[in-house]
Amino acid sequence: MFFSTLQTLSFRNLADVEVDTQGKDIFLVGENGQGKTNFLEAVYFCSYASSFRGASDNELVHTGEKACFAAAHFTGSLYDRVLIKFENGRKTVYLDGKRVEDRRELLSVVPCIVFCHEDMEFVAGTPERRRWFFDQNQSLYDPVYLDDLRKYRQLLKSRNVFLKKAKTMTVDAATHSMLDALDPQIARYGLSLMEKRLEAAECFSATFGSLYEEVSGIDRIGVKYGSSWKNMTLEGIIDFLGEHREGDIASGLTLTGPHRDRYIFNREGVEFSGKASTGQRRLLALILRVAQAQRFSEITGKYPVLLLDDVLLELDPEKRRKFLAIMPKYDQAFYTFLPEEPFERYRKADTLVYYVNNGAIHRE
């Protein structure tokens, strides 16, 4: 599965052209701020209908314009073409000309895994960002997990709306009756997420730890999943929610559950990322993505498209060599380079090289 063309219109600063991407390796070479990352963002947008930078859809529209789109043709996928439009404040997705109502369908088209500077947030950022990574990781290969996650979030939103109202009202029998109806549903979907997260974290940790040791020489690094619900039974969780109900009402929020779970990088039982150097954290972030790609391929039997945004720039020569040695298998990879980087060293006979200048894409 790979992208054979990419077309954009009023997307960031990119020129309104269709670019031939029929190659296993595509190099995008240019100075900072010229549009290399925007090109990767457009590729990613065609895979997930969202930005890997966390940008809103409005931010993707070129300055002075009111709408944008990104479209791509595929080879080896279930579909031939995707078109994603954003206009009048609304986003629409089309696969082979048919409108898609649920973006979940995009997950099976041409999955992308991006390596970028923002990945540092998964290591040194908030617990929420780390949960986001592991949720995305599981959603790539487990549609049931994604469905459960969506349902849990919907129920959580409803519960929080009710708790916020209850905080400013007299709590009566009707209040407790409503929470009595919501809590078993919250517990059911939350328990399913917990069980899947625990199993996935154990498998991911084994892959991750081995890869990190191979590149850094530091052994026994693992990923530990910790749930805020300690009782892993449906009845136990329902009881727990009941016992902490008054506190939730006082706060106007559900204070425990999968939305508060944590993932910790540890070494021999001691938290590692907080004490790690900047270089070690950067490597942790890179290996997270390598492990994600490997796990995806092991489970699905497919290879992803990789998007590597200035990945090699921040590694010293030895770690760069080791990183390239453990690169996951892929169907296609897009790399960004500064002009002064030795990208010719990594070039293969069939590599496509494009130079990016002020949004314009020029073939070598």
Side-chain angles (χ1 to χ4, degrees):
M1 303 180 295
F2 63 88
F3 289 78
S4 54
T5 67
L6 178 72
Q7 182 183 11
T8 59
L9 177 67
S10 300
F11 190 99
R12 295 285 195 180
N13 77 325
L14 296 177
D16 299 338
V17 296
E18 185 173 50
V19 179
D20 175 14
T21 57
Q22 295 188 76
K24 187 176 179 67
D25 297 290
I26 294 93
F27 288 3
L28 301 163
V29 183
E31 298 290 352
N32 290 326
Q34 298 305 303
K36 304 189 303 295
T37 301
N38 292 343
F39 190 93
L40 296 189
E41 188 175 29
V43 174
Y44 189 92
F45 192 67
C46 287
S47 284
Y48 302 113
S50 64
S51 165
F52 65 77
R53 295 150 131 177
S56 68
D57 294 329
N58 282 314
E59 293 177 271
L60 302 179
V61 182
H62 185 73
T63 302
E65 302 295 334
K66 297 181 179 180
C68 71
F69 80 67
H73 283 94
F74 305 119
T75 297
S77 175
L78 295 172
Y79 299 93
D80 294 324
R81 187 174 188 264
V82 64
L83 168 64
I84 304 176
K85 293 182 177 181
F86 178 71
E87 55 187 348
N88 300 320
R90 184 180 180 86
K91 180 164 52 187
T92 51
V93 180
Y94 300 89
L95 285 172
D96 290 348
K98 182 180 179 181
R99 184 168 175 173
V100 174
E101 298 300 332
D102 190 341
R103 286 185 292 163
R104 177 177 178 270
E105 294 185 41
L106 287 172
L107 292 176
S108 62
V109 181
V110 180
C112 287
I113 291 177
V114 62
F115 296 69
C116 62
H117 181 75
E118 286 78 7
D119 292 348
M120 281 285 283
E121 295 178 8
F122 305 142
V123 176
T126 64
E128 180 182 11
R129 291 299 294 155
R130 208 170 288 181
R131 282 194 304 272
W132 185 93
F133 169 80
F134 285 101
D135 282 339
Q136 185 203 50
N137 181 56
Q138 285 184 254
S139 297
L140 285 176
Y141 59 79
D142 188 349
V144 175
Y145 179 85
L146 179 58
D147 288 342
D148 287 349
L149 183 62
R150 285 177 164 184
K151 189 62 178 178
Y152 177 83
R153 287 172 174 170
Q154 291 170 357
L155 290 166
L156 180 66
K157 183 178 180 179
S158 297
R159 192 176 193 267
N160 284 342
V161 167
F162 191 76
L163 287 170
K164 188 175 182 180
K165 290 180 179 179
K167 182 180 179 181
T168 59
M169 298 165 53
T170 301
V171 181
D172 54 16
T175 301
H176 288 291
S177 177
M178 180 63 73
L179 291 172
D180 285 342
L182 281 172
D183 285 359
Q185 298 179 69
I186 288 275
R188 173 191 165 195
Y189 287 101
L191 178 59
S192 177
L193 293 176
M194 289 164 55
E195 291 173 341
K196 286 178 175 290
R197 284 177 174 179
L198 180 60
E199 180 182 4
E202 290 175 351
C203 295
F204 189 94
S205 182
T207 300
F208 176 81
S210 176
L211 289 168
Y212 194 81
E213 180 179 2
E214 187 173 344
V215 177
S216 70
I218 300 176
D219 62 358
R220 297 186 296 280
I221 298 293
V223 177
K224 183 179 179 181
Y225 164 67
S227 172
S228 61
W229 289 341
K230 303 306 179 185
N231 193 325
M232 297 281 283
T233 67
L234 183 61
E235 294 76 12
I237 294 170
I238 294 173
D239 290 343
F240 183 88
L241 287 170
E243 292 167 3
H244 291 77
R245 180 174 295 179
E246 294 303 323
D248 287 350
I249 291 174
S251 300
L253 289 171
T254 304
L255 298 176
T256 61
H259 60 291
R260 293 294 185 97
D261 288 350
R262 291 178 175 266
Y263 291 88
I264 299 170
F265 299 102
N266 68 85
R267 184 170 189 254
E268 297 181 313
V270 178
E271 201 275 334
F272 176 75
S273 57
K275 300 178 180 179
S277 66
T278 300
Q280 288 172 332
R281 289 180 179 181
R282 179 58 182 155
L283 192 57
L284 281 170
L286 285 174
I287 300 302
L288 273 179
R289 291 300 196 180
V290 176
Q292 182 182 33
Q294 285 199 9
R295 291 292 299 156
F296 171 79
S297 296
E298 289 169 3
I299 294 169
T300 67
K302 302 175 183 178
Y303 298 135
V305 170
L306 304 182
L307 310 177
L308 302 103
D309 192 18
D310 289 340
V311 165
L312 302 179
L313 181 63
E314 299 182 20
L315 298 178
D316 62 52
E318 180 60 16
K319 284 190 172 62
R320 186 179 302 177
R321 181 188 66 79
K322 290 183 177 179
F323 172 75
L324 290 172
I326 64 163
M327 274 276 289
K329 294 182 179 180
Y330 57 89
D331 276 344
Q332 188 177 38
F334 293 79
Y335 299 78
T336 65
F337 293 100
L338 292 172
E340 59 269 25
E341 287 186 82
F343 60 89
E344 292 285 354
R345 186 181 304 170
Y346 316 115
R347 183 176 183 175
K348 302 170 187 174
D350 58 350
T351 298
L352 297 178
V353 179
Y354 285 100
Y355 289 89
V356 185
N357 182 36
N358 197 28
I361 314 293
H362 301 287
R363 184 81 171 265
E364 183 185 43

